[in-house]
Amino acid sequence: MTHSTPERPADIVARLRATFRTGRTKPVAWRTAQLRRLRELLTEHGDDLAAALHADLGKSATEAQRTEIGFTIREIDHTLENLDAWLRPEPAPVPAHLGADATAWTQYDPLGVVLVIAPWNYPVQLLLTPVVGALASGDAVVVKPSEMAPATSAALARLLPAYLDTDAVAVVEGGVPETTALLAERFDHVFYTGNGAVGRVVLRAAAEHLTPVTLELGGKSPAFVDRGADLKVVAERLARGKFLNAGQTCVAPDYVLTDPETAAALEPLLASAVEAVHGADPQTSAEYGRIVNERHFDRLAGLLGSGRVVVGGGSDRADKYIAPTVLADVDPDSPVMAEEIFGPILPIVTVPGLDEAIDFINDRDKPLALYVFGDDAVTRDRIVAETSSGGLGYGLPLAHLTVSDLPFGGVGESGMGNYHGRYSIETFSHRKAVLDKPLS
Ligand code: NAD
């Protein structure tokens, strides 16, 4: 891998910092102009990006549009619509001892030069959505696409400089050496999406400069299915949410947690839902994606042996294809339950009831998402009150992250900080406290 530009990281950061110091990125007009240009890039080159996503991940054009390009356009539109309101200084009540003429408020300051490091699974959305927040906040930004989605990385490295202010936005392509070199530089914020092991590397590097960090990580997100839930609807929604992007989604339901009777009733419904959504032979479906590379294929193929296959179970290494698979009778100590699956395998784990389900969740790392299927008010209330997760979805997997007015982020092992919509402004700005006591 080589840099898309021969410039050294230190020179890139110095150049962007010089731009930031001129004040050029601060006016709202510059910010909105950049966002409009980014929108143009996405509309004018949507097909190029979709082709790159297909090359990297076998992503269908529909999925590319919905979950990557369209998603980012919606985030841009939401930001353009609301930015003035979000940036408005917020008055704060002043205590009496300062006198009636004193006023106080908070206002957002851009941070400076920020670094965005993106993963391969949604390589457009997860790179550009943070960029929307950084530009809207008036920051200069260095972006590092994932080398594991090379076609998308190359497309972004070609297109971003053609549309955005190159004195304020730079793309650095590459893998570990290039990212390590970047992380040695002083940034004003580092925004990292990916796995927790690298998250620790990023946090350590940032500590050297006392740079604040957002870590968007993953983990095993449970889908709890309550007794009495409408299992046909549950099966259909799980079949769609779990197998989107061949299961390579950070908020995908990682496993189903339910009681044995519900599991037995759910199994055949999941089998028919998988077939209804992905066809009798998903390998021939234009909509069904592929595993990103052989390493991940081999890792996932090794997990197919846990439990009993309800549906799927097939794989084809030459095609990096793993069938949408549901596994039942899965032992909590089996390999498929050891780490985040990040692929199209859905194990069903059973527990006697709600108490044990809550303990099961709390015995493990705090997940990025938790899904609860069932209308029972006590169950719903107990799970939201007694567990901790980045987000919680009742009845529908993945969709909470499409609500731009909700913060998206993890807690504990699933990450720190959040973004989307106005929360991106919080992340990429400093909320400055101001007091004004007139002299006369
Ligand atoms: P990845 O391998 O593409 O890595 C992410 C980024 O880290 C890349 O840009 C890569 O170049 C860089 N990187 C890798 N090793 C590095 C090192 N030693 N030092 C510095 N940088 C390094 O992606 P991944 O980590 O395989 O992504 C999958 C994980 O990301 C899963 O755990 C998933 O749940 C999580 N994820 C989280 C979110 C979220 O929004 N919370 C979104 C997508 C993925």
Side-chain angles (χ1 to χ4, degrees):
M1 285 285 168
T2 52
H3 290 151
S4 59
T5 145
E7 235 180 334
R8 293 182 313 130
D11 296 335
I12 297 172
V13 176
R15 186 165 61 76
L16 267 52
R17 198 170 290 291
T19 306
F20 182 75
R21 287 281 296 276
T22 66
R24 168 148 128 215
T25 65
K26 289 187 180 177
V28 175
W30 181 89
R31 307 181 195 192
T32 53
Q34 294 302 303
L35 293 177
R36 286 201 188 89
R37 288 292 287 160
L38 190 56
R39 195 183 196 290
E40 278 165 31
L41 183 163
L42 290 164
T43 50
E44 288 167 14
H45 292 280
D47 290 348
D48 296 335
L49 291 170
L53 290 164
H54 189 264
D56 287 331
L57 290 150
K59 228 172 249 209
S60 74
T62 332
E63 212 174 294
Q65 186 55 40
R66 192 156 62 91
T67 66
E68 304 251 25
I69 299 157
F71 183 101
T72 312
I73 289 176
R74 277 200 307 282
E75 181 75 8
I76 292 173
D77 290 346
H78 183 63
T79 304
L80 285 170
E81 241 165 69
N82 294 286
L83 189 58
D84 283 335
W86 292 340
L87 294 176
R88 214 165 283 144
E90 205 175 300
V94 175
H97 72 264
L98 290 173
D101 60 343
T103 52
W105 66 92
T106 57
Q107 66 183 56
Y108 289 113
D109 277 355
L111 290 172
V113 183
V114 303
L115 172 63
V116 172
I117 305 174
W120 51 265
N121 60 332
Y122 289 86
V124 172
Q125 183 211 133
L126 295 174
L127 184 104
L128 294 184
T129 307
V131 167
V132 171
L135 294 174
S137 299
D139 293 319
V141 52
V142 178
V143 298
K144 215 298 288 172
S146 175
E147 74 281 18
M148 282 168 65
T152 311
S153 176
L156 290 167
R158 178 170 58 83
L159 293 170
L160 285 170
Y163 280 79
L164 300 182
D165 182 344
T166 52
D167 291 328
V169 180
V171 184
V172 174
E173 286 193 273
V176 175
E178 290 80 4
T179 317
T180 306
L182 273 176
L183 285 169
E185 297 304 317
R186 182 174 74 77
F187 288 92
D188 298 288
H189 194 92
V190 177
F191 189 103
Y192 169 80
T193 305
N195 68 75
V198 176
R200 285 167 169 78
V201 171
V202 170
L203 197 53
R204 257 183 234 120
E208 281 304 310
H209 301 288
L210 220 55
T211 294
V213 168
T214 302
L215 297 179
E216 295 282 340
L217 310 177
K220 292 182 88 62
S221 296
F224 175 73
V225 183
D226 199 15
R227 273 191 191 94
D230 183 336
L231 297 182
K232 198 159 179 287
V233 178
V234 174
E236 206 260 343
R237 293 187 185 175
L238 281 173
R240 286 190 190 283
K242 170 72 186 189
F243 302 112
L244 185 78
N245 200 26
Q248 301 162 112
T249 302
C250 56
V251 285
D254 188 90
Y255 62 95
V256 170
L257 190 61
T258 191
D259 63 274
E261 296 77 35
T262 307
L266 185 60
E267 283 176 26
L269 294 172
L270 270 173
S272 41
V274 167
E275 194 174 321
V277 174
H278 304 284
D281 180 7
Q283 191 167 6
T284 59
S285 158
E287 293 302 315
Y288 187 68
R290 294 297 183 265
I291 305 308
V292 66
N293 58 27
E294 278 80 10
R295 182 169 64 80
H296 279 283
F297 175 91
D298 292 341
R299 178 183 65 77
L300 289 163
L303 302 179
L304 290 170
S306 303
R308 166 174 56 84
V309 174
V310 173
V311 64
S315 62
D316 176 355
R317 194 173 195 270
D319 190 22
K320 288 181 281 187
Y321 166 78
I322 296 206
T325 298
V326 176
L327 302 171
D329 305 333
V330 172
D331 188 315
D333 294 325
S334 62
V336 79
M337 288 303 293
E339 280 174 16
E340 179 181 3
I341 297 167
F342 220 55
I345 304 171
L346 182 65
I348 303 175
V349 176
T350 58
V351 283
L354 181 60
D355 286 336
E356 293 81 1
I358 290 174
D359 282 344
F360 193 94
I361 294 163
N362 289 336
D363 282 347
R364 286 162 177 76
D365 290 334
K366 292 178 181 177
L368 183 59
L370 172 58
Y371 302 110
V372 180
F373 295 90
D375 295 327
D376 181 68
V378 174
T379 304
R380 290 163 59 101
D381 292 352
R382 279 199 58 195
I383 292 190
V384 73
E386 295 178 33
T387 65
S388 176
S389 56
L392 189 143
Y394 289 119
L396 192 59
L398 319 190
H400 60 291
L401 79 82
T402 65
V403 181
S404 296
D405 287 316
L406 284 177
F408 178 61
V411 56
E413 278 287 324
S414 55
M416 58 179 76
N418 52 57
Y419 72 130
H420 285 184
R422 68 175 312 149
Y423 299 97
S424 292
I425 306 295
E426 292 280 346
T427 290
F428 288 107
S429 312
H430 167 60
R431 199 198 271 256
K432 184 192 272 178
V434 186
L435 172 75
D436 182 8
K437 172 75 178 170
L439 291 175
S440 53

